[in-house]
Amino acid sequence: MSRKKRPQNRIAKRLRCSRCGCFAPRDLTSKAAENWSGKWVEGRLAVIVCPPCQTPLENAEAAANEAEVTVRRAEGGTFLPDPVLCITGTTLENPGTVLYGRDHLQRIRTRGQAENLGLVSDLPLDTRCVPIVGGVMIYPPGR
């Protein structure tokens, strides 16, 4: 008997709305999940809110964040979620720049925490990395 593999975008434990307790869709990339909001704390999804429980301010914030990512992708960027550390150039010959995601950088400033980093290295020297809400946008040379 063979077992079907779960799609990679599904989670093992179902998430629930932090306010009313209703279950989030299993597939967080599905159409049913597109209006759910989440808040990341220290690199982990800490709060998830269903559409009926969201405040107007939360709706506006989510729309602004989505618009920023959409515009930056249209400009040729690739989004990497926080916590991430980008290193351009080579560490020995030309150190280039080091960049944390905006949320992670704020955590380092306020609490001195630098845990669970995803490292993106060996990027070409002319790669541009820009911190945005939730992570970093990476722009390859020539874009």
Side-chain angles (χ1 to χ4, degrees), residues 105-119:
L105 187 57
Q106 180 64 26
R107 211 167 36 253
I108 291 168
R109 281 188 202 137
T110 59
R111 288 184 251 149
Q113 290 179 306
E115 77 294 336
N116 302 324
L117 284 175
L119 177 65

PDB file of all heavy atoms in Angstrom, residues 105-119:
ATOM      1  N   LEU A 105      16.347  42.704  12.050  1.00  0.00           N
ATOM      2  CA  LEU A 105      17.252  43.782  12.430  1.00  0.00           C
ATOM      3  C   LEU A 105      16.691  44.562  13.619  1.00  0.00           C
ATOM      4  O   LEU A 105      17.421  44.897  14.549  1.00  0.00           O
ATOM      5  CB  LEU A 105      17.480  44.716  11.243  1.00  0.00           C
ATOM      6  CG  LEU A 105      18.532  45.798  11.409  1.00  0.00           C
ATOM      7  CD1 LEU A 105      19.879  45.190  11.751  1.00  0.00           C
ATOM      8  CD2 LEU A 105      18.644  46.613  10.132  1.00  0.00           C
ATOM      9  N   GLN A 106      15.393  44.812  13.618  1.00  0.00           N
ATOM     10  CA  GLN A 106      14.762  45.505  14.743  1.00  0.00           C
ATOM     11  C   GLN A 106      14.911  44.687  16.023  1.00  0.00           C
ATOM     12  O   GLN A 106      15.178  45.223  17.090  1.00  0.00           O
ATOM     13  CB  GLN A 106      13.280  45.762  14.439  1.00  0.00           C
ATOM     14  CG  GLN A 106      12.539  46.478  15.547  1.00  0.00           C
ATOM     15  CD  GLN A 106      13.068  47.883  15.785  1.00  0.00           C
ATOM     16  OE1 GLN A 106      13.631  48.511  14.903  1.00  0.00           O
ATOM     17  NE2 GLN A 106      12.920  48.372  16.989  1.00  0.00           N
ATOM     18  N   ARG A 107      14.760  43.374  15.941  1.00  0.00           N
ATOM     19  CA  ARG A 107      14.908  42.496  17.095  1.00  0.00           C
ATOM     20  C   ARG A 107      16.338  42.542  17.638  1.00  0.00           C
ATOM     21  O   ARG A 107      16.558  42.569  18.840  1.00  0.00           O
ATOM     22  CB  ARG A 107      14.533  41.071  16.674  1.00  0.00           C
ATOM     23  CG  ARG A 107      13.950  40.275  17.754  1.00  0.00           C
ATOM     24  CD  ARG A 107      13.287  38.981  17.319  1.00  0.00           C
ATOM     25  NE  ARG A 107      13.863  38.241  16.241  1.00  0.00           N
ATOM     26  CZ  ARG A 107      13.337  38.164  15.029  1.00  0.00           C
ATOM     27  NH1 ARG A 107      12.243  38.809  14.723  1.00  0.00           N
ATOM     28  NH2 ARG A 107      13.904  37.441  14.090  1.00  0.00           N
ATOM     29  N   ILE A 108      17.314  42.580  16.736  1.00  0.00           N
ATOM     30  CA  ILE A 108      18.707  42.653  17.161  1.00  0.00           C
ATOM     31  C   ILE A 108      18.956  43.976  17.880  1.00  0.00           C
ATOM     32  O   ILE A 108      19.613  44.019  18.922  1.00  0.00           O
ATOM     33  CB  ILE A 108      19.657  42.485  15.962  1.00  0.00           C
ATOM     34  CG1 ILE A 108      19.583  41.061  15.440  1.00  0.00           C
ATOM     35  CG2 ILE A 108      21.091  42.829  16.355  1.00  0.00           C
ATOM     36  CD1 ILE A 108      20.261  40.871  14.108  1.00  0.00           C
ATOM     37  N   ARG A 109      18.403  45.060  17.349  1.00  0.00           N
ATOM     38  CA  ARG A 109      18.586  46.373  17.979  1.00  0.00           C
ATOM     39  C   ARG A 109      17.987  46.434  19.370  1.00  0.00           C
ATOM     40  O   ARG A 109      18.566  46.973  20.295  1.00  0.00           O
ATOM     41  CB  ARG A 109      17.934  47.461  17.125  1.00  0.00           C
ATOM     42  CG  ARG A 109      18.737  47.869  15.948  1.00  0.00           C
ATOM     43  CD  ARG A 109      18.085  49.093  15.296  1.00  0.00           C
ATOM     44  NE  ARG A 109      18.508  49.180  13.924  1.00  0.00           N
ATOM     45  CZ  ARG A 109      17.723  49.469  12.907  1.00  0.00           C
ATOM     46  NH1 ARG A 109      16.453  49.710  13.089  1.00  0.00           N
ATOM     47  NH2 ARG A 109      18.204  49.527  11.686  1.00  0.00           N
ATOM     48  N   THR A 110      16.772  45.916  19.537  1.00  0.00           N
ATOM     49  CA  THR A 110      16.074  46.066  20.808  1.00  0.00           C
ATOM     50  C   THR A 110      16.455  45.019  21.847  1.00  0.00           C
ATOM     51  O   THR A 110      16.491  45.309  23.023  1.00  0.00           O
ATOM     52  CB  THR A 110      14.546  46.026  20.612  1.00  0.00           C
ATOM     53  OG1 THR A 110      14.172  44.796  20.002  1.00  0.00           O
ATOM     54  CG2 THR A 110      14.081  47.200  19.784  1.00  0.00           C
ATOM     55  N   ARG A 111      16.734  43.781  21.414  1.00  0.00           N
ATOM     56  CA  ARG A 111      16.986  42.718  22.384  1.00  0.00           C
ATOM     57  C   ARG A 111      18.313  41.998  22.221  1.00  0.00           C
ATOM     58  O   ARG A 111      18.632  41.131  23.016  1.00  0.00           O
ATOM     59  CB  ARG A 111      15.866  41.683  22.302  1.00  0.00           C
ATOM     60  CG  ARG A 111      14.590  42.224  22.870  1.00  0.00           C
ATOM     61  CD  ARG A 111      13.548  41.164  22.865  1.00  0.00           C
ATOM     62  NE  ARG A 111      12.577  41.556  21.836  1.00  0.00           N
ATOM     63  CZ  ARG A 111      11.882  40.723  21.112  1.00  0.00           C
ATOM     64  NH1 ARG A 111      12.008  39.446  21.256  1.00  0.00           N
ATOM     65  NH2 ARG A 111      11.031  41.168  20.220  1.00  0.00           N
ATOM     66  N   GLY A 112      19.042  42.306  21.158  1.00  0.00           N
ATOM     67  CA  GLY A 112      20.323  41.644  20.960  1.00  0.00           C
ATOM     68  C   GLY A 112      20.207  40.204  20.478  1.00  0.00           C
ATOM     69  O   GLY A 112      21.175  39.461  20.512  1.00  0.00           O
ATOM     70  N   GLN A 113      19.022  39.785  20.018  1.00  0.00           N
ATOM     71  CA  GLN A 113      18.831  38.415  19.555  1.00  0.00           C
ATOM     72  C   GLN A 113      19.178  38.284  18.082  1.00  0.00           C
ATOM     73  O   GLN A 113      18.791  39.107  17.280  1.00  0.00           O
ATOM     74  CB  GLN A 113      17.381  37.972  19.740  1.00  0.00           C
ATOM     75  CG  GLN A 113      16.987  37.775  21.174  1.00  0.00           C
ATOM     76  CD  GLN A 113      15.539  37.355  21.260  1.00  0.00           C
ATOM     77  OE1 GLN A 113      14.666  38.030  20.730  1.00  0.00           O
ATOM     78  NE2 GLN A 113      15.279  36.262  21.933  1.00  0.00           N
ATOM     79  N   ALA A 114      19.903  37.226  17.756  1.00  0.00           N
ATOM     80  CA  ALA A 114      20.229  36.927  16.358  1.00  0.00           C
ATOM     81  C   ALA A 114      20.175  35.417  16.189  1.00  0.00           C
ATOM     82  O   ALA A 114      21.188  34.759  16.023  1.00  0.00           O
ATOM     83  CB  ALA A 114      21.603  37.481  15.997  1.00  0.00           C
ATOM     84  N   GLU A 115      18.987  34.847  16.236  1.00  0.00           N
ATOM     85  CA  GLU A 115      18.814  33.401  16.208  1.00  0.00           C
ATOM     86  C   GLU A 115      18.141  32.914  14.931  1.00  0.00           C
ATOM     87  O   GLU A 115      17.488  33.676  14.240  1.00  0.00           O
ATOM     88  CB  GLU A 115      17.996  32.944  17.418  1.00  0.00           C
ATOM     89  CG  GLU A 115      16.496  33.189  17.309  1.00  0.00           C
ATOM     90  CD  GLU A 115      16.067  34.650  17.271  1.00  0.00           C
ATOM     91  OE1 GLU A 115      16.781  35.521  17.756  1.00  0.00           O
ATOM     92  OE2 GLU A 115      14.993  34.916  16.718  1.00  0.00           O
ATOM     93  N   ASN A 116      18.322  31.636  14.641  1.00  0.00           N
ATOM     94  CA  ASN A 116      17.618  30.960  13.541  1.00  0.00           C
ATOM     95  C   ASN A 116      17.727  31.685  12.205  1.00  0.00           C
ATOM     96  O   ASN A 116      16.755  31.813  11.471  1.00  0.00           O
ATOM     97  CB  ASN A 116      16.138  30.770  13.877  1.00  0.00           C
ATOM     98  CG  ASN A 116      15.938  29.983  15.135  1.00  0.00           C
ATOM     99  OD1 ASN A 116      16.690  29.052  15.418  1.00  0.00           O
ATOM    100  ND2 ASN A 116      14.946  30.343  15.919  1.00  0.00           N
ATOM    101  N   LEU A 117      18.914  32.151  11.866  1.00  0.00           N
ATOM    102  CA  LEU A 117      19.089  32.890  10.625  1.00  0.00           C
ATOM    103  C   LEU A 117      19.152  31.973   9.416  1.00  0.00           C
ATOM    104  O   LEU A 117      19.787  30.928   9.470  1.00  0.00           O
ATOM    105  CB  LEU A 117      20.398  33.691  10.655  1.00  0.00           C
ATOM    106  CG  LEU A 117      20.403  34.952  11.476  1.00  0.00           C
ATOM    107  CD1 LEU A 117      21.802  35.534  11.493  1.00  0.00           C
ATOM    108  CD2 LEU A 117      19.430  35.957  10.935  1.00  0.00           C
ATOM    109  N   GLY A 118      18.507  32.379   8.328  1.00  0.00           N
ATOM    110  CA  GLY A 118      18.723  31.762   7.038  1.00  0.00           C
ATOM    111  C   GLY A 118      19.835  32.555   6.364  1.00  0.00           C
ATOM    112  O   GLY A 118      19.777  33.777   6.315  1.00  0.00           O
ATOM    113  N   LEU A 119      20.856  31.902   5.878  1.00  0.00           N
ATOM    114  CA  LEU A 119      22.000  32.588   5.278  1.00  0.00           C
ATOM    115  C   LEU A 119      21.931  32.502   3.763  1.00  0.00           C
ATOM    116  O   LEU A 119      21.752  31.424   3.203  1.00  0.00           O
ATOM    117  CB  LEU A 119      23.301  31.967   5.773  1.00  0.00           C
ATOM    118  CG  LEU A 119      24.593  32.523   5.173  1.00  0.00           C
ATOM    119  CD1 LEU A 119      24.777  33.977   5.571  1.00  0.00           C
ATOM    120  CD2 LEU A 119      25.775  31.694   5.633  1.00  0.00           C
TER     121      LEU A 119
END
